């Protein structure tokens, strides 16, 4: 007998039938002898409906009152789910964030969990009671309700799994696992059986929006065994863990594209210390997040610094740099947003330098031009023309999954 | 500067415009220099919608989970109202039942307030912050959410007014005060300026459903000045207090009818001690509430005992009595439900024995037969035929309010 934390997203609890389905998953796990803590999001569109109600009254409502409002969504889904489990004849109790002991900092709408005081949870589990916990929320030191922001319920679930030393944390969602590429756009995309935390982190940041990075980071830090699976199919999903089984044929776990990218090239800066500091501290001061950074080799005592940012920040970045031209010293700033980032991720890559070459070969064969390259231990990213992005992902996916086979 | 507790019912906060209206009432009170604690019910049909959601999933859901579900309704209306007040530029904070310190017993769905721990409330009021509190709810000793049952938000407001020693507790509703009779059915019904707690209690139990008895009883016990008024008209309402101004012309504050009445006559019981005990302890054991009780003068060593109950209990009462006929000893049981109770209420009645006679005169003039009479210090009730009830109320109202004028 073990302890399993199960998290169900908004689409999994959207109506009465779906709540009954979630209740069945929970009680089947319980009947197999496990203790179960289930963390639920708000039903389907509840959060959006509540936000619309608030906007009608005050478009600039304080985040404190927004959190007070939005936290009701999970309280509704959790009590309804508990009722469904009662109807099946199992012992169950639903708990709000504060009842379950979630203590956060005071950053309303994007609070961070400081600790979970688990006395109540443990008391209920010791009675062999199924516990349903509201995701996404806690209270701060003033006893005010806070919400955790995007991906909050995943984070709630992983935090509970970590602090309760759960054997497994299952994230139920509307997809049935992590794929080698987006199955909606890439032919032959396959579900992975396992993936490492680091690969998952790289994939999440590349736009594979299955798990929020905060929850994966926390899972990695506390070594929580994660599984991503569908609440509708009943099939095994993808396990996310520290080390995955030995990979026979491929060192690439996934191919992802991110279209929310703009490139900025600062051309002709002096080849002297401090330039990168000047540019990037300026951007940081204005909360502009920089992703890839490349610095060209100098020529005639000048060099070029290129980097990528979100498309929404492109104009502001150009204006900021030109405003400080005399301080930074450069020839000109070129910007472009008709580009996309395509990346391969795989923990095995570090020991296989040929992987990057194979990616480039795939792009060359497909006649796709590469504007920028960046590599890390478990990732290779390239910038390509926006129009080439889908073809690029398919070509790379074909390369690794037809020549080397599926790792999953 | 004083402290005013204002309570707004579900119809007063039903949509965005009505919430803004409530926010205006609160902030106008605040601008006059008062501290304001506002207690809100859930919006319009929210509670019914939530109950429907629950019924779809589990018609026999536990009351513990129902309370968890239903308590979200007030949390939503309170946070929205706080946002409306924020938009008007005033300092405001919304608090749930547990945040406001409401501690109750564990009778889920009909909990009673044990105490209100007011530290947080006082801290906010000391900062000259408007406080919006969820009505109808608290937590028990297990930190589980409880609701107070019918009239719960009125009770929450009066409890706060009592414990905070508020100068006034205003109950905003969709009627603009307490009337001498139901203005929807009685011509010439007039709004009262003032009424005593005891009169209000008698009127509430007679079916004038403006204030729930629990809240009036609590107001009487802690001497809380109540005012019932409309959130829509902006006019003064009716004050409910211990002693009202000297009444010049009438000793009757209201006329009410109650159609949910059945009469039971136990005919031919022995004229000996213990009979009343036998009958009414039997009914009490089966949770049947008895209202009026009359015992006729004995004849041939027998007497008759008549009493009134709710219509729904009539058949069960008859069956119960007949089952125990050998134990109680009586000739027969007659029951009837085509009757209604009509009552006059007035604190001045006790010193004016002529009041009852005037009531009987009014009924005689209208050719209405009286089946049963019961009097208390501040009330005279008669049973009449159901079909005569409306005419009876009008005749009595005409008698007191055209001959003696309006007390209000």
């Amino acid at each position: 007998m073990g302890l399993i934390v199960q998290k169900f997203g908004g689409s999994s609890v959207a109506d009465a039938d779906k709540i009954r389905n979630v209740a069945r998953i929970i009680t089947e796990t319980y009947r197999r002898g496990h203790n179960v803590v289930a963390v639920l999001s708000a039903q389907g569109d509840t959060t959006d409906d509540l936000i619309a109600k608030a906007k009608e009254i005050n478009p600039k409502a304080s985040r404190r009152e927004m959190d007070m409002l939005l936290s009701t969504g999970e309280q509704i889904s959790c009590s309804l789910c508990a009722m469904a489990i009662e109807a099946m004849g199992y012992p169950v109790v639903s708990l709000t964030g504060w009842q379950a002991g979630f203590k956060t900092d005071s950053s309303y709408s994007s609070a961070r969990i400081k600790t979970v005081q688990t006395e109540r949870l443990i008391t209920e589990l010791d009675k062999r009671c199924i516990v349903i916990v509201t995701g996404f929320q806690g209270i701060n030191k003033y006893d005010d309700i806070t919400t955790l922001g995007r991906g909050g319920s995943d984070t709630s679930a992983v935090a509970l799994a970590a602090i309760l030393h759960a054997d497994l944390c299952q994230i139920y969602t509307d997809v049935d696992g992590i794929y080698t590429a987006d199955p909606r756009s890439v032919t032959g995309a396959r579900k992975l059986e396992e993936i490492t935390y680091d690969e998952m982190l790289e994939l999440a940041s590349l736009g594979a929006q299955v798990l929020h990075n905060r929850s994966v980071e926390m899972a990695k830090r506390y070594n929580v065994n994660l599984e991503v699976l569908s609440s509708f199919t009943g099939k095994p999903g993808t396990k996310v863990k520290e080390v995955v089984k030995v990979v026979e044929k491929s060192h690439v776990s996934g191919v992802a594209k991110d279209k929310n990218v703009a490139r900025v090239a600062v051309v002709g800066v002096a080849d002297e210390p401090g330039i990168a500091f000047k540019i990037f501290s300026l951007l940081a001061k204005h909360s502009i997040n920089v992703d890839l950074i490349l610095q060209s080799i100098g020529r005639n005592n000048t060099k070029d610094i290129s980097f990528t940012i979100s498309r929404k920040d492109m104009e502001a970045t150009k204006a900021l740099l030109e405003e400080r031209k005399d301080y930074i010293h450069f020839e000109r700033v070129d910007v472009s947003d008709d580009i996309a980032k395509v990346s391969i991720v795989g923990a095995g890559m570090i020991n296989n330098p040929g992987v990057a070459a194979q990616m480039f070969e795939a792009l060359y064969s497909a006649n796709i031009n590469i504007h920028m390259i960046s590599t890390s231990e478990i990732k290779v990213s390239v910038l390509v023309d926006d129009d080439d992005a889908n073809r690029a992902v398919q070509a790379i996916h074909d390369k690794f999954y037809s020549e080397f086979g599926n790792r999953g």
Side-chain angles (χ1 to χ4, degrees), chain A residues 147-354:
Chain A
T147 69
L148 307 182
R150 277 179 64 87
S153 291
D154 289 351
T155 309
S156 302
V158 173
L160 275 184
I163 208 151
L164 294 170
H165 304 290
D167 299 280
L168 180 61
C169 180
Q170 295 182 309
I171 308 289
Y172 283 88
T173 175
D174 49 4
V175 300
D176 60 357
I178 311 296
Y179 277 71
T180 53
D182 185 344
R184 288 167 303 185
S185 62
V186 176
T187 313
R190 297 173 206 170
K191 193 169 75 183
L192 294 165
E193 201 178 306
E194 297 185 333
I195 189 171
T196 67
Y197 300 121
D198 288 335
E199 290 171 333
M200 191 66 228
L201 284 170
E202 292 285 7
L203 281 172
S205 69
L206 295 173
Q209 299 175 335
V210 176
L211 279 175
H212 200 269
N213 263 9
R214 274 172 77 187
S215 57
V216 181
E217 279 163 13
M218 191 184 281
K220 176 177 157 72
R221 194 169 342 127
Y222 296 103
N223 207 14
V224 172
N225 284 319
L226 282 181
E227 183 178 7
V228 174
L229 66 179
S230 164
S231 56
F232 303 116
T233 65
K235 289 184 199 155
T238 300
K239 297 227 162 91
V240 189
K241 50 212 285 198
E242 187 58 41
V243 180
V244 302
K245 284 181 289 189
V246 174
V247 176
E248 281 296 315
K249 293 177 180 167
S250 173
H251 308 288
V252 174
S253 60
V255 186
K257 72 162 185 273
D258 183 0
K259 293 198 155 208
N260 179 24
V261 178
R263 178 180 49 161
V264 179
V266 187
V267 178
V269 297
D271 190 8
E272 59 186 35
I275 295 295
F277 163 75
K278 283 181 180 175
I279 292 174
F280 296 111
S281 65
L282 176 67
L283 298 180
K285 215 173 77 186
H286 291 82
S287 300
I288 292 169
N289 274 324
V290 174
D291 181 20
L292 308 183
I293 300 175
L294 276 189
Q295 186 174 305
S296 68
I297 293 162
R299 194 184 38 164
N300 301 334
N301 279 335
T302 70
K303 58 190 178 185
D304 305 339
I305 294 182
S306 300
F307 52 88
T308 60
I309 52 178
S310 287
R311 284 190 185 169
K312 68 172 167 48
D313 293 330
M314 189 176 78
E315 292 306 328
T317 302
K318 186 168 163 47
L320 266 176
L321 289 169
E322 286 177 343
E323 211 171 81
R324 306 302 303 276
K325 189 168 181 176
D326 292 345
Y327 165 69
I328 302 167
H329 296 299
F330 56 83
E331 271 173 39
R332 68 175 195 277
V333 179
D334 293 340
V335 296
S336 155
D337 62 359
D338 54 355
I339 51 160
K341 183 171 70 172
V342 173
S343 308
I344 56 175
V345 171
M349 231 179 254
I350 184 169
N351 300 315
N352 284 274

Side-chain angles (χ1 to χ4, degrees), chain A residues 72-117:
Chain A
T72 61
E74 291 79 31
Q75 193 170 330
I76 291 171
S77 60
C78 284
S79 51
L80 291 174
C81 184
M83 292 174 193
I85 291 173
E86 285 177 350
M88 295 174 182
Y90 293 88
V92 64
V93 66
S94 69
L95 299 177
T96 63
W98 66 269
Q99 289 175 329
F102 279 86
K103 306 284 181 182
T104 75
D105 64 18
S106 285
S107 306
Y108 296 108
S109 301
S110 58
R112 299 192 79 85
I113 298 168
K114 292 168 80 88
T115 185
V116 186
Q117 294 171 345

